[in-house]
Amino acid sequence: MKKKVAFYTIGCKLNYAETSTIEKKFDICYYQKVPFNSFADIYVINSCSVTKNAEVELKRIVRIAKNKNNDAIIIAIGCYAQLNPKEVSTIDGINLILGAEEKLKIEYYLSRWFFNNNQNGGKNTTMVFSMLKKDHYSYLPSFSIGDRTRSFLKIQDGCDYKCSYCVIPMSRGNSRSDSIENILEKIKFIFNKGVKEIVLTGINIGDYGKIYDEYYGYHRRLYTFFDLIQAIDKIKEKGRIRLSSIEPNLLKYECIEFLSKSQHFVPHFHIPLQSGCNVILRKMQRRYKRETYEEKVQQIRKLIPDAYIGSDIIVGYPGESHQHFLDTYFFLKKLDISSLHIFTYSPRPNTKSTSEIKIKEVSKKIQWKRNKILRHLSKEKYISFCERQVNTKKTVLFEKNSKNKEYLYGYTENYIRTKIQYHSSYENTLLNVSLIELDKEDGVMIAAAEPTQTPPSSG
Ligand code: SF4
């Protein structure tokens, strides 16, 4: 009888793409994939280490799995498992912990666990396999397909930057990328499978192009991000391409200009700012000043007025005074962006910012207050962005396998969440719509199908 195996992803789109690839490493002759909230023999949890919350989340997910089957084997992979395998091994219920390299051979390590466990008389021991961080050289090409309407395609991994609060370079290693040839091949494959939208993901996608060179023994730049987007835009297959987060200093004018005329790339930018105060940006070791950020936003607005521009902000960084926060607030207020993701600073082990926290910690109460103020600002910005789009015509990719039969949800090319009266033929379809009105309660735009259209065939 086949063993049942279930998967869960914590964290970013890149983790999601990798989970999807790791799922395929389980031989379908011996394993059957089941939903995570059902009984399984093996639960694989892809962990994250970006915030303290993501670590707490791992414990919660392990408990859920144990409640489904107390005898299940639980495998932790991903950033947290790589960064701090010792700490992960103290979480009750986890049997196998695999680092960044080892997760690529998950079936092999699982068989080693079975062997070891049999030798020990079935005592459900915990085993850790995790190489040293400096040996992070492998690149795991990944994409997700099947579960969601959109597909996530990994183009790059790791980061060579040293932002003072970030653990990612420690958990994912140096910056490295897939080749342009491989990426084009995968995009064609995914579109030919009927997927209508692909999101290009990575840790620092603007740094795309460093490939491992066998001769030199390190990763060196063979391509640029601009090379990649130009190559992608030439493909004949139909479908939309969306970029995930890109660092402001790496989003060059030539790229914005090219994207403004692209046939595949949608007008969507996610550009992390982190702080609107240059003093804090310097402390964070970010590689730009706020003036650079402002310039990028202006360039996008000039060439693509309707583009969605999202940003990330960290509040309560050590030493962020009231004045620094006000600088950020007023900078953001005048910036023509569409919405913000607000993160509250949390110290991550072995990062530079943790040494500053002892003397200049911002209290939890103030952090919470600042977070709330910026969330409010984000809502205002999103509403204003959406209201500018009312009465315009857009193309929405509506979700597939919708459980809701009253409304169908989807995103416009410029990332406005939209709903339309349910019609089965709209599922997984790029539909031309008019944006009628913003439902402010749930922040969703109400759309109507363009009257000239006959209902499309699904798929
Ligand atoms: S750019 Fe900075 S924040 Fe982003 S992954 Fe690299 S080090 Fe972390």
Side-chain angles (χ1 to χ4, degrees), residues 174-304:
N174 55 323
S175 178
R176 55 209 190 274
S177 306
D178 206 347
S179 69
I180 289 187
E181 295 72 30
N182 286 345
I183 292 171
L184 295 182
E185 199 181 293
K186 282 177 202 120
I187 291 176
K188 288 175 191 169
F189 174 82
I190 295 169
F191 280 152
N192 285 328
K193 286 278 174 197
V195 173
K196 306 284 191 301
E197 186 176 306
I198 298 173
V199 184
L200 302 184
T201 69
I203 295 296
N204 191 347
I205 63 168
D207 191 38
Y208 172 81
K210 292 174 182 163
I211 310 280
Y212 188 69
D213 189 314
E214 297 280 349
Y215 181 77
Y216 290 98
Y218 59 83
H219 294 90
R220 66 187 191 98
R221 181 169 300 289
L222 290 189
Y223 317 104
T224 64
F225 181 68
F226 190 40
D227 295 334
L228 176 69
I229 58 174
Q230 289 178 96
I232 289 176
D233 214 41
K234 288 192 188 115
I235 63 165
K236 299 274 177 296
E237 282 73 6
K238 282 203 165 60
R240 308 204 296 205
I241 311 261
R242 206 175 280 281
L243 296 176
S244 57
S245 180
I246 183 162
E247 291 291 297
N249 50 310
L250 296 173
L251 181 59
K252 306 288 181 212
Y253 180 75
E254 59 189 5
C255 294
I256 299 173
E257 196 184 26
F258 181 81
L259 291 169
S260 74
K261 297 174 192 147
S262 154
Q263 58 151 343
H264 284 295
F265 287 92
V266 290
H268 175 178
F269 297 84
H270 187 97
I271 317 169
L273 172 65
Q274 310 305 15
S275 172
C277 166
N278 282 338
V279 176
I280 299 298
L281 284 176
R282 199 167 55 244
K283 281 177 182 291
M284 288 175 164
Q285 298 182 179
R286 302 288 289 166
R287 299 193 182 191
Y288 53 86
K289 288 187 174 171
R290 69 183 198 173
E291 289 75 15
T292 306
Y293 194 95
E294 196 172 13
E295 189 190 28
K296 302 294 164 183
V297 171
Q298 285 165 356
Q299 288 170 351
I300 295 169
R301 280 282 166 255
K302 193 167 168 231
L303 297 172
I304 326 172

Side-chain angles (χ1 to χ4, degrees), residues 159 161-163 165-166 168-169 203-204 247 274 286:
C159 186
Y161 283 18
K162 292 186 169 55
C163 301
Y165 52 84
C166 182
I168 290 177
I203 295 296
N204 191 347
E247 291 291 297
Q274 310 305 15
R286 302 288 289 166

Side-chain angles (χ1 to χ4, degrees), residues 271-374:
I271 317 169
L273 172 65
Q274 310 305 15
S275 172
C277 166
N278 282 338
V279 176
I280 299 298
L281 284 176
R282 199 167 55 244
K283 281 177 182 291
M284 288 175 164
Q285 298 182 179
R286 302 288 289 166
R287 299 193 182 191
Y288 53 86
K289 288 187 174 171
R290 69 183 198 173
E291 289 75 15
T292 306
Y293 194 95
E294 196 172 13
E295 189 190 28
K296 302 294 164 183
V297 171
Q298 285 165 356
Q299 288 170 351
I300 295 169
R301 280 282 166 255
K302 193 167 168 231
L303 297 172
I304 326 172
D306 272 0
Y308 173 94
I309 307 175
S311 190
D312 292 338
I313 299 289
I314 298 173
V315 290
Y317 185 83
E320 185 191 61
S321 67
H322 182 60
Q323 190 52 50
H324 295 146
F325 175 70
L326 286 183
D327 269 7
T328 294
Y329 179 80
F330 287 112
F331 179 71
L332 288 170
K333 199 161 170 70
K334 70 173 170 67
L335 207 59
D336 190 2
I337 54 174
S338 318
S339 76
L340 303 161
H341 286 131
I342 321 296
F343 299 90
T344 297
Y345 171 80
S346 68
R348 311 306 299 123
N350 303 320
T351 58
K352 197 175 171 204
S353 64
T354 50
S355 55
E356 298 189 23
I357 199 169
K358 290 181 197 104
I359 35 174
K360 298 169 202 156
E361 186 171 7
V362 178
S363 74
K364 291 264 171 300
K365 199 173 155 197
I366 292 176
Q367 282 186 327
W368 182 82
K369 220 171 154 183
R370 290 177 186 173
N371 188 311
K372 194 176 166 200
I373 291 169
L374 291 191

Side-chain angles (χ1 to χ4, degrees), residues 128-160:
V128 178
F129 297 97
S130 184
M131 257 163 84
L132 291 172
K133 291 165 199 131
K134 66 180 168 56
D135 294 322
H136 275 198
Y137 282 139
S138 301
Y139 182 87
L140 170 65
S142 304
F143 60 87
S144 65
I145 197 163
D147 309 2
R148 298 190 184 183
T149 313
R150 298 185 290 167
S151 178
F152 299 112
L153 170 62
K154 173 176 159 183
I155 58 166
Q156 184 273 344
D157 199 348
C159 186
D160 293 340

